[in-house]
Amino acid sequence: MNTRGLNGQIFFAAIAAVLLGFFAHGQEVSTALYAAQLIGTLFIDLLKMVMIPLVFCAITTGIANLRLHHQRHLVWKTTLLFFATTTVIAVVIGIGASHIFQPGAGLQLHLFADSMQQFDAKQLSVPEFFTQFLHGVFMNPFKALAEGSILPIVAFALLLGIALVQTADRAPHLLSLFEEGLGVCMQMIGWIMRLAPIGVAALLFKLVATQDLSLFASLTKFILVVTGTTLLHGLVVLPLLLFLLTGKRPWWFLRQAREVLLTAFATSSSNATLPVTMRCATQNMQVKPDIAGFVVPLGATLNMDGTALYEAAAALFVAQLAGIDLSFGQQLVVCFTTMIAAMGAPGIPSAGMVTMVMVLQSVGLPAEAIAILLPIDRLLDTMRTAVNVEGDMIGSLVVQHRLEQRLV
């Protein structure tokens, strides 16, 4: 799939839909609105259809492939600990900035009214929340798959991946099945994303034609908040962690990594940047090839700080647009689901929108909100991909430093 051509089509379709929506605002265009509703709903339903098998296969294979390095406990334990730590920090930054700046506050879009009728606004104490949370996480996986319950599916995928690590070579066909399933899901996403220009145009046309136009001021504020927090994480948090954990200067790292960061910015793809990342880590930063060969490819699959930050901020932004005050427990669910969604997000442009649906639905927020997010996704994807790749390179340096300390 030509992602650059697709991104251009989405951009121009979004502009055309916004202009048509402005023209139709306040006019009697019931037939056009019905058609837009029909097309937009179809596009959202297709994303929901592929979301569950994609995330399930991606998480299972991502964890199971750790078995290839089973003999190197220190390497993968250090890698996973670093990736988890930076992802948690990114999610906290995203949610914290959304609370501070509240880019979607003051608007309650009627577009989401029908979707929010079933929203559970019940406030729970912390003990009640954890009791309900654990009860909802561990359930019959087939029932969860049939009902599209996100958290139980994620929990089962994690356990299944760990079991595949432990069983090593005793279940090679099962692992191959999930890897092939992931490939098939990616093919289906390619087909669905070809419909994205039409689907996004339909959703945006209905949004602009029927909603408060002050939404665009809030959207601009959201873009600024996400851009600022992504730069904060990439230029301050990650280099600071590198300095604290290895003693290496941030400006040394940025100088050595500039080629990779520019490539990631231009392609918006961790996978496409992977060869450049490997060469930079091994040649420019003198990371041992066996360490870089494990940490960097694993990071391209599991370590998505920029994506986690964006999806956490986006979930709070959508909640504000829908007039919903998420409870503390629901925000914890957003944090957890965002981390898992970032792990399951394929390293290609726009595929993260599928996992964005997962994050929104984890707390009952409307999946239709991606109509607002998708037109700006390409712009924000450039920076968050650069941060994703930056985290992979810093992770390889941290792991090598940890191994050197152990050998001393």
Side-chain angles (χ1 to χ4, degrees):
M1 181 175 61
N2 185 344
T3 55
R4 291 188 177 183
L6 177 63
N7 287 319
Q9 293 172 24
I10 292 175
F11 176 77
F12 288 114
I15 294 297
V18 169
L19 294 176
L20 288 174
F22 275 122
F23 177 77
H25 192 77
Q27 305 295 321
E28 182 58 39
V29 287
S30 56
T31 302
L33 290 175
Y34 172 76
Q37 171 72 21
L38 187 65
I39 296 171
T41 301
L42 175 63
F43 177 61
I44 295 295
D45 287 343
L46 287 171
L47 287 176
K48 290 179 180 179
M49 177 186 71
V50 77
M51 172 188 67
I52 297 298
L54 169 71
V55 172
F56 182 76
C57 292
I59 292 174
T60 301
T61 56
I63 296 297
N65 281 328
L66 291 176
R67 71 189 180 91
L68 301 176
H69 299 265
H70 183 67
Q71 72 279 13
R72 304 189 60 184
H73 295 284
L74 182 61
V75 172
W76 68 259
K77 286 180 180 179
T78 304
T79 302
L80 292 182
L81 179 61
F82 178 79
F83 286 170
T85 301
T86 58
T87 303
V88 168
I89 294 173
V91 170
V92 170
I93 290 174
I95 289 182
S98 294
H99 275 297
I100 294 171
F101 297 103
Q102 299 196 1
L107 286 177
Q108 292 193 23
L109 300 184
H110 300 297
L111 174 70
F112 302 149
D114 293 338
S115 303
M116 300 311 299
Q117 287 179 356
Q118 303 301 318
F119 184 84
D120 183 10
K122 182 174 65 172
Q123 300 291 315
L124 299 175
S125 65
V126 174
E128 289 174 333
F129 163 74
F130 279 108
T131 299
Q132 182 171 307
F133 176 79
L134 292 175
H135 178 70
V137 165
F138 301 105
M139 61 184 293
N140 186 327
F142 296 102
K143 179 182 178 182
L145 288 167
E147 296 178 351
S149 301
I150 298 298
L151 293 181
I153 292 170
V154 168
F156 184 72
L158 288 171
L159 290 174
L160 182 59
I162 294 170
L164 288 172
V165 171
Q166 295 298 319
T167 55
D169 295 328
R170 284 180 285 165
H173 299 298
L174 185 59
L175 178 57
S176 297
L177 176 65
F178 288 120
E179 290 175 339
E180 291 169 5
L182 179 59
V184 171
C185 289
M186 293 304 301
Q187 178 66 56
M188 294 174 67
I189 288 176
W191 293 339
I192 294 170
M193 291 309 296
R194 291 181 187 277
L195 302 176
I198 301 173
V200 170
L203 290 166
L204 278 179
F205 171 76
K206 181 184 177 184
L207 181 71
V208 177
T210 60
Q211 304 301 316
D212 188 342
L213 298 182
S214 59
L215 165 67
F216 292 96
S218 295
L219 191 60
T220 301
K221 187 175 181 181
F222 172 71
I223 293 173
L224 293 175
V225 169
V226 172
T227 300
T229 51
T230 303
L231 291 174
L232 172 67
H233 190 75
L235 296 179
V236 178
V237 174
L238 289 177
L240 180 61
L241 285 174
L242 175 67
F243 177 72
L244 293 176
L245 295 175
T246 70
K248 296 185 181 299
R249 303 289 181 179
W251 46 88
W252 170 85
F253 170 80
L254 294 173
R255 186 171 62 251
Q256 303 299 327
R258 62 181 181 272
E259 179 186 0
V260 177
L261 298 179
L262 288 173
T263 304
F265 185 89
T267 62
S268 295
S269 172
S270 301
N271 289 346
T273 311
L274 190 57
V276 185
T277 309
M278 287 290 297
R279 183 173 61 82
C280 178
T282 55
Q283 295 183 10
N284 296 5
M285 301 180 185
Q286 303 303 310
V287 178
K288 295 179 181 178
D290 57 339
I291 294 177
F294 171 67
V295 177
V296 173
L298 183 67
T301 303
L302 299 183
N303 185 44
M304 302 281 184
D305 291 357
T307 301
L309 188 155
Y310 165 72
E311 292 188 350
L316 268 291
F317 176 60
V318 170
Q320 292 163 7
L321 290 179
I324 295 297
D325 184 16
L326 295 179
S327 67
F328 175 74
Q330 287 164 332
Q331 290 182 53
L332 286 179
V333 171
V334 169
C335 290
F336 175 75
T337 311
T338 300
M339 293 174 60
I340 299 301
M343 180 191 302
I348 63 173
S350 299
M353 278 295 100
V354 180
T355 54
M356 186 70 246
V357 173
M358 168 184 162
V359 173
L360 295 177
Q361 290 197 318
S362 69
V363 287
L365 293 172
E368 290 82 358
I370 68 164
I372 302 169
L373 301 173
L374 194 51
I376 62 172
D377 182 66
R378 183 67 177 88
L379 171 65
L380 299 176
D381 196 17
T382 56
M383 287 176 291
R384 69 174 184 257
T385 302
V387 170
N388 292 343
V389 173
E390 179 188 2
D392 300 342
M393 289 188 291
I394 289 179
S396 66
L397 289 167
V398 170
V399 171
Q400 175 159 289
H401 182 76
R402 178 79 174 103
L403 285 177
E404 291 172 348
Q405 282 186 319
R406 176 62 64 91
L407 294 174
V408 173

